[in-house]
Amino acid sequence: MNLKELSSLLGLSQTTVSRALNGYPEVSEKTRARVVQAAQAHAYSPNTRAQGLATGHSKCIGHVISVSDSAEMVNPIFGDFMAGAGETYSAHGYDMMVTRVGTQDEADTYRSLKARGAVDGIVVHAPRRNDARLALLDKIGLPYVVHGRSTGIKTPYSWLDVNNTRAFSEATSYLASLGHSRIALINGQETMDFAIRRRSGYESSLRFAGLSIDSALMSTGEMTEAYGYTQANAMLELDQPPTAFLAASIICAAGIRRALDERGLRVGQDVSIATFDDCLSYFGNGGDQPVFTAWQSSVRAAGATLAQMLIDRIRAPHAPHITTLWEAEFVLGASTGSAPGTSKD
Amino acid sequence: MNLKELSSLLGLSQTTVSRALNGYPEVSEKTRARVVQAAQAHAYSPNTRAQGLATGHSKCIGHVISVSDSAEMVNPIFGDFMAGAGETYSAHGYDMMVTRVGTQDEADTYRSLKARGAVDGIVVHAPRRNDARLALLDKIGLPYVVHGRSTGIKTPYSWLDVNNTRAFSEATSYLASLGHSRIALINGQETMDFAIRRRSGYESSLRFAGLSIDSALMSTGEMTEAYGYTQANAMLELDQPPTAFLAASIICAAGIRRALDERGLRVGQDVSIATFDDCLSYFGNGGDQPVFTAWQSSVRAAGATLAQMLIDRIRAPHAPHITTLWEAEFVLGASTGSAPGTSKD
DNA sequence: ACGGCATTCCAAAGCGCTTTGACAAGTGTG
DNA sequence: CACACTTGTCAAAGCGCTTTGGAATGCCGT
């Protein structure tokens, strides 16, 4: 069923039917009702491609997952982000396109997405410091919003970020206030802007607390369970092992806990764990008694909000940029306690 | 840059340029080379929508994530699946569209995807028993492949599945052979076909081993970490608690381990855990000493293979259906051991 | 009765591509 | 040298929609 068929069926012109369905005022309410009903009855939906050709918009948003070819990792965060974004998209009649690409082909992918007119805008994931993608997107004229920020980029752009510096600063201070002086940071990959911010929050609080910054207590890597486990184990072998861990993700934190459990160390008593928590649906940290003491911020909510920001941006490409900074929420869990030897224990 | 511009720039007709780029034989190699070079120089990519309109194909594959509105869960498996599928798609010039939808709107989504011509085919995820989606897709004529199978569907369809029955049967037998007589099954949602198969494999091996089937040792639910934890805890409170757990996913298994650790039970000694492992990139179970004894099958590989199957199917919609059954691979990990009180321990 | 003004509808152009059918130019044959 | 073929190219139609610029209709006041 297409426009031509539907309109001849109704004895109307294509113009009128099209206008009726798209809510234009030039058509009487009576005929509009008739058209809408007929469209529903015959399950007519305008052909996306034809509509796109005629309007010049694809009504589609692109997400590029860049997969470093060596590791082939897909962060589970992505799924939750897309669920949030997808909700917004479908509410506004947008489709969502996902492209998987090796990191070195990323620029070509953006260019192609634009040249082919495949998408009206894109979400930039996992921005790096001085991320070259932003300038590229500006140059080719593809609207975008950034999930996170890119330190060093001078030109304005729209972003939504969690205050990572603050969260990790608070977390570090919190652990220090419990008497911990050897606090380890199990960070994400420090090519990512957010990881850099997290480290700086951590370091500044260490300094503020008068604690030494020990590179042996800092690690950076892909935030897998195995990574948390391996790093925790390595650090616990040190002459002066940490008494507290600060993890970049609840998945890492799970790995750290495994290392502690395996060594017979009691989490929250012998060794503390605090973590950032993206509120992934498959790794709940809620309930009456949260497992981990955490600074949390829902990545699903971020997806929903960023999607809205992008849609607004596509509608008004020259509107001033919107930037949003969310504060992570503190949740006290069972994984932290006073440092061993401090006060009562 | 579009076809018209490019062709007038070359002093050729649009026809010739189009044919040159699409590899038609009617154009001399000399002009083809000239055209290809110019296209590259001017970063010309044909407009996807126009191309789609003209050809009738969208060169796009749909994936529908149906999110039960109550829970809003997104299985991390999805990310790995898409990474695998995405690789195949981009190799064949296909785009990937993801639609998030509440379960009750799923049928409408498929219909709309077809009516709008948005996709050339789709991948059906998480099939249920007697899944109504397959008949719907057949009816509306949207090519598809199924990740898994749907018991009860008589008409042929293309699928790729892991031999879940066998894997869980083997796993149960394995645990029984270690002397375990109280073996718990922490299953996925038994609305899903794969979960039903897993249970049947589990039960048949229990029977074969002469062990009783105790519904108190079986649970079904969304395979989150918290679910594994909660169920394990509940079962360990039973008068006759299990000495072994069989988990549906490595994420559940992590929850079970947490419950054991918390109770001071040694994994692989006091209580064993075996699990199915989808080889998620963020939850590696590999290495020299795998954490869990597992039956594994890469969901990423499944994605890549199913994508290929779908593309083939789109090319030849009336070709006989292809069905593929993969066997899960056994991996001995540290999480299983003889039942307490059995032989040496 | 007639011009003026909304109101309601339409024919046709155009979006950027593929593809059909036709046409020059070049090649070989008798 | 005329003939039939191949080879390389093109103009134009068409994919299904939106949108521009009219045109017909009905209603008003004068």
Side-chain angles (χ1 to χ4, degrees):
Chain A
M1 173 63 60
N2 58 21
L3 226 211
K4 204 200 291 194
E5 286 170 31
L6 184 66
S7 49
S8 80
L9 210 113
L10 281 161
L12 291 170
S13 77
Q14 300 191 32
T15 309
T16 305
V17 175
S18 171
R19 308 220 108 147
L21 292 172
N22 291 329
Y24 280 70
E26 301 94 321
V27 45
S28 74
E29 282 310 317
K30 208 172 65 189
T31 51
R32 187 194 305 281
R34 210 160 64 88
V35 168
V36 167
Q37 192 165 0
Q40 215 139 26
H42 295 83
Y44 168 74
S45 307
N47 182 295
T48 308
R49 298 187 300 274
Q51 206 166 24
L53 229 208
T55 60
H57 312 301
S58 62
K59 293 285 266 175
C60 185
I61 307 285
H63 288 252
V64 177
I65 339 181
S66 78
V67 167
S68 68
D69 319 67
S70 52
E72 280 279 355
M73 297 268 177
V74 186
N75 199 316
I77 285 182
F78 195 69
D80 271 64
F81 185 93
M82 288 212 313
E87 194 163 3
T88 305
Y89 293 148
S90 56
H92 288 80
Y94 275 84
D95 288 320
M96 168 165 54
M97 180 172 290
V98 177
T99 309
R100 175 208 166 281
V101 65
T103 31
Q104 83 287 12
D105 299 330
E106 218 174 325
D108 283 342
T109 301
Y110 291 129
R111 255 188 282 263
S112 151
L113 247 25
K114 168 68 178 182
R116 292 160 46 214
V119 300
D120 289 343
I122 69 154
V123 174
V124 173
H125 292 281
R128 298 175 278 271
R129 176 158 283 199
N130 270 316
D131 201 312
R133 289 177 291 178
L134 309 196
L136 173 66
L137 290 167
D138 282 332
K139 191 181 123 208
I140 64 182
L142 190 53
Y144 63 93
V145 294
V146 181
H147 183 205
R149 273 175 287 178
S150 179
T151 306
I153 298 293
K154 297 291 186 299
T155 50
Y157 58 95
S158 294
W159 52 263
L160 180 153
D161 199 3
V162 174
N163 195 337
N164 282 294
T165 315
R166 162 102 47 104
F168 276 65
S169 162
E170 279 183 16
T172 307
S173 298
Y174 178 74
L175 291 169
S177 76
L178 289 172
H180 295 282
S181 57
R182 301 281 292 163
I183 302 171
L185 175 68
I186 309 296
N187 205 1
Q189 282 189 305
E190 290 183 1
T191 47
M192 305 287 135
D193 199 87
F194 75 91
I196 300 174
R197 287 175 192 277
R198 288 173 174 189
R199 174 133 81 103
S200 96
Y202 160 81
E203 290 184 355
S204 75
S205 278
L206 283 186
R207 267 192 296 270
F208 186 77
L211 298 173
S212 64
I213 294 176
D214 184 349
S215 64
L217 294 184
M218 296 190 290
S219 75
T220 165
E222 191 85 46
M223 300 176 283
T224 67
E225 199 268 354
Y227 164 67
Y229 174 77
T230 313
Q231 293 301 324
N233 262 335
M235 290 184 187
L236 289 168
E237 292 292 342
L238 294 174
D239 286 342
Q240 294 180 31
T243 61
F245 285 91
L246 179 50
S249 138
I250 204 155
I251 296 176
C252 289
I256 299 170
R257 186 183 55 217
R258 174 157 66 96
L260 298 184
D261 285 338
E262 220 175 74
R263 291 167 170 260
L265 295 168
R266 289 162 307 168
V267 176
Q269 294 174 278
D270 301 322
V271 177
S272 289
I273 307 178
T275 185
F276 191 87
D277 177 9
D278 298 286
C279 303
L280 303 183
S281 54
Y282 263 58
F283 293 89
N285 187 41
D288 302 336
Q289 173 62 324
V291 181
F292 290 108
T293 294
W295 276 256
Q296 56 189 19
S297 179
S298 163
V299 72
R300 174 194 299 269
T305 307
L306 272 163
Q308 187 64 59
M309 285 169 61
L310 181 51
I311 290 171
D312 293 344
R313 179 128 211 94
I314 289 167
R315 284 201 190 131
H318 299 297
H321 285 279
I322 291 181
T323 62
T324 310
L325 189 60
W326 284 356
E327 293 299 332
E329 220 166 287
F330 172 71
V331 174
L332 180 59
S335 66
T336 47
S338 348
T342 319
S343 65
K344 60 178 191 267
D345 180 53
Chain B
M1 173 64 59
N2 58 21
L3 226 210
K4 204 202 288 193
E5 286 169 31
L6 184 65
S7 48
S8 81
L9 210 115
L10 283 160
L12 291 170
S13 75
Q14 299 190 33
T15 309
T16 305
V17 174
S18 170
R19 312 219 104 148
L21 292 173
N22 292 327
Y24 280 71
E26 301 94 321
V27 43
S28 74
E29 282 312 317
K30 206 172 65 189
T31 52
R32 186 194 305 283
R34 207 159 66 89
V35 169
V36 167
Q37 193 164 358
Q40 214 137 28
H42 295 83
Y44 167 74
S45 307
N47 181 294
T48 307
R49 297 188 300 273
Q51 206 166 23
L53 230 207
T55 59
H57 311 301
S58 62
K59 291 287 264 176
C60 185
I61 306 284
H63 289 250
V64 176
I65 338 180
S66 77
V67 168
S68 67
D69 319 67
S70 51
E72 281 280 353
M73 298 268 178
V74 187
N75 198 316
I77 284 181
F78 196 69
D80 271 62
F81 185 93
M82 288 212 314
E87 193 162 5
T88 305
Y89 293 148
S90 57
H92 288 80
Y94 275 83
D95 287 321
M96 167 164 55
M97 179 171 291
V98 177
T99 308
R100 175 210 166 278
V101 66
T103 31
Q104 83 288 9
D105 299 331
E106 217 175 325
D108 283 343
T109 301
Y110 290 129
R111 258 189 280 264
S112 152
L113 248 24
K114 168 67 180 184
R116 293 161 45 214
V119 300
D120 289 343
I122 68 154
V123 174
V124 173
H125 292 280
R128 298 177 279 272
R129 177 158 283 197
N130 269 314
D131 202 312
R133 289 176 292 178
L134 308 197
L136 173 67
L137 291 166
D138 282 332
K139 191 181 122 208
I140 64 182
L142 189 54
Y144 64 92
V145 294
V146 181
H147 184 205
R149 272 175 288 176
S150 179
T151 307
I153 299 292
K154 296 292 184 304
T155 50
Y157 58 95
S158 294
W159 53 262
L160 180 153
D161 200 2
V162 174
N163 196 338
N164 282 293
T165 314
R166 161 102 47 106
F168 275 65
S169 162
E170 278 183 18
T172 307
S173 298
Y174 178 75
L175 291 171
S177 77
L178 289 172
H180 295 281
S181 58
R182 300 282 292 162
I183 302 171
L185 175 67
I186 308 295
N187 206 359
Q189 283 192 305
E190 291 184 0
T191 48
M192 304 286 135
D193 200 89
F194 76 89
I196 300 175
R197 288 175 191 276
R198 287 173 175 189
R199 174 133 82 101
S200 97
Y202 160 81
E203 290 185 354
S204 75
S205 278
L206 283 185
R207 266 193 295 271
F208 186 77
L211 298 173
S212 64
I213 295 176
D214 185 348
S215 64
L217 294 185
M218 297 189 288
S219 74
T220 164
E222 191 85 47
M223 301 176 282
T224 67
E225 199 269 354
Y227 164 67
Y229 174 78
T230 312
Q231 293 300 326
N233 262 333
M235 290 183 185
L236 290 167
E237 292 292 342
L238 293 173
D239 287 343
Q240 294 180 33
T243 60
F245 286 91
L246 179 49
S249 136
I250 206 156
I251 296 176
C252 289
I256 298 171
R257 188 183 53 215
R258 175 157 65 96
L260 299 183
D261 285 338
E262 219 174 76
R263 291 167 169 262
L265 294 168
R266 291 163 304 167
V267 176
Q269 294 174 277
D270 301 322
V271 177
S272 289
I273 306 178
T275 186
F276 191 88
D277 176 10
D278 299 288
C279 304
L280 302 182
S281 54
Y282 263 57
F283 294 89
N285 188 40
D288 300 339
Q289 173 62 323
V291 180
F292 291 108
T293 295
W295 276 257
Q296 55 189 19
S297 179
S298 163
V299 71
R300 173 192 299 267
T305 306
L306 271 163
Q308 186 63 59
M309 284 169 63
L310 181 52
I311 290 171
D312 291 345
R313 180 127 211 93
I314 290 166
R315 284 201 189 133
H318 299 297
H321 284 280
I322 291 180
T323 63
T324 312
L325 188 61
W326 283 356
E327 295 298 333
E329 221 167 288
F330 171 72
V331 175
L332 180 59
S335 65
T336 47
S338 344
T342 318
S343 65
K344 59 175 191 278
D345 180 51

